[in-house]
């Protein structure tokens, strides 16, 4: 029961890592008319979660597995793999900022841990990233890697849907219905990437990268991505 409660606590979309500041590309998609109703929103959320699974989701599993055997070098390699694949500034900022906040929160709540040791390194130019930090944290809390992966996927979807309520004419029931539908794909996504390594991480979505690049130069915006 304790593991379930910890999964709920640290995987909660309201956990203070700053997720509410980001829309994961939705703000610009709405401005350009790519997302304009419930149907197009659901398609967008599924695209985001699909990319989250094949990219950062692999890093969650790598971080979890490295932490399970106390391999700090592999944790560093996972962070580097994530950081190198964030080709636009906003997504890189989101990953690093949320990773740092998760590490800080973990330090204050849990205390000594592998994540604290990684976050306190001053001689490594590669920053802590959110997906890897999440995997490391959940491994140290005794939560199975499937739970860590599910929490990551849930967070990716809920971030977009939380922003959607402020950007579109959708209500909380629409958002929850979409979340329910998208969550049905998490188990299949996990099975697909469970055997993947860091070299297999992929996130080919040029349209999202273009939107992120355009969003970076807008003068008026509600979100940081």
């Amino acid at each position: 029961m304790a593991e379930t409660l910890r999964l709920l606590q640290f995987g909660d979309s309201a956990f203070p890592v700053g997720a509410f500041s980001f829309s994961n590309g939705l703000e610009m998609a709405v401005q350009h008319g790519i997302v304009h109703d419930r149907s197009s929103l659901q398609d967008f959320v599924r695209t985001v979660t699909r990319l989250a699974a094949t990219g950062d989701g692999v890093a969650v599993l790598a971080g979890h597995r490295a932490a399970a055997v106390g391999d700090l070098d592999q944790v560093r390699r996972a962070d580097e793999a994530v950081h190198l694949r964030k080709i636009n500034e906003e997504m890189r900022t989101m990953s690093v900022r949320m990773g740092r906040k998760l590490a800080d929160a973990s330090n204050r709540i849990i205390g000594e841990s592998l994540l604290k040791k990684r976050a306190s390194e001053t001689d490594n130019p590669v920053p802590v990233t959110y997906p890897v930090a999440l995997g490391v944290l959940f491994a140290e809390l005794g939560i199975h890697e499937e739970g860590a992966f599910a929490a990551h996927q849930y967070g990716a979807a809920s971030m977009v849907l939380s922003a959607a309520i402020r950007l579109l004419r959708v209500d909380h029931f629409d958002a929850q219905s979409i979340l329910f539908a998208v969550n049905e794909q998490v188990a299949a996504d996990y099975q697909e990437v469970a055997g993947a390594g860091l070299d297999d991480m992929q996130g080919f979505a040029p349209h999202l990268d273009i939107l992120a690049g355009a969003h970076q130069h807008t003068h008026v915006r509600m979100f940081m991505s």
Side-chain angles (χ1 to χ4, degrees):
M1 183 178 293
E3 290 81 4
T4 301
L5 292 173
R6 288 168 178 167
L7 177 62
L8 291 172
Q9 178 180 358
F10 289 94
D12 190 340
S13 59
F15 193 78
V17 293
F20 65 89
S21 300
F22 302 94
S23 76
N24 220 337
L26 180 65
E27 183 170 21
M28 212 61 185
V30 171
Q31 289 187 21
H32 284 263
I34 297 170
V35 177
H36 51 84
D37 58 12
R38 174 175 166 166
S39 178
S40 57
L41 174 61
Q42 182 163 330
D43 290 342
F44 185 86
V45 174
R46 179 53 186 150
T47 297
V48 167
T49 57
R50 176 64 182 164
L51 292 170
T54 59
D56 287 353
V58 176
V60 172
L61 299 179
H64 189 286
R65 292 165 185 173
V69 295
D71 190 342
L72 189 56
D73 287 337
Q74 184 64 10
V75 172
R76 296 188 192 102
R77 286 193 287 271
D79 277 321
E80 183 177 31
V82 172
H83 198 63
L84 289 175
R85 285 166 174 78
K86 301 299 181 185
I87 64 173
N88 64 73
E89 183 178 341
E90 289 190 341
M91 294 305 178
R92 191 162 54 246
T93 297
M94 180 176 74
S95 179
V96 171
R97 186 167 299 180
M98 290 176 61
R100 184 173 62 247
K101 286 183 176 293
L102 181 61
D104 289 344
S106 171
N107 294 345
R108 295 183 63 178
I109 297 169
I110 299 172
E112 292 298 324
S113 66
L114 188 67
L115 181 55
K116 181 178 181 179
K117 185 181 296 185
R118 170 68 180 98
S120 64
E121 292 180 329
T122 58
D123 58 346
N124 192 322
V126 179
V128 173
T129 63
Y130 180 71
V132 178
L134 193 69
V136 170
L137 173 62
F138 281 150
E140 295 190 296
L141 292 175
I143 296 167
H144 192 272
E145 67 172 38
E146 289 185 40
F149 181 85
H152 177 261
Q153 295 300 104
Y154 179 90
S158 63
M159 179 191 295
V160 176
L161 290 168
S162 176
I165 293 171
R166 288 172 277 178
L167 292 168
L168 289 163
R169 290 185 177 180
V170 294
D171 59 26
H172 291 279
F173 293 109
D174 291 324
Q176 290 299 317
S177 295
I178 292 172
L179 184 61
F180 186 84
V182 170
N183 281 345
E184 292 183 340
Q185 305 298 320
V186 172
D189 287 343
Y190 169 76
Q191 290 299 325
E192 182 177 343
V193 304
L198 293 175
D199 290 340
D200 301 310
M201 289 174 62
Q202 54 183 306
F204 182 72
H207 55 299
L208 291 181
D209 289 324
I210 291 170
L211 289 174
H215 187 265
Q216 182 180 336
H217 299 289
T218 56
H219 297 293
V220 179
R221 54 186 179 180
M222 292 177 62
F223 298 93
M224 296 183 67
S225 72

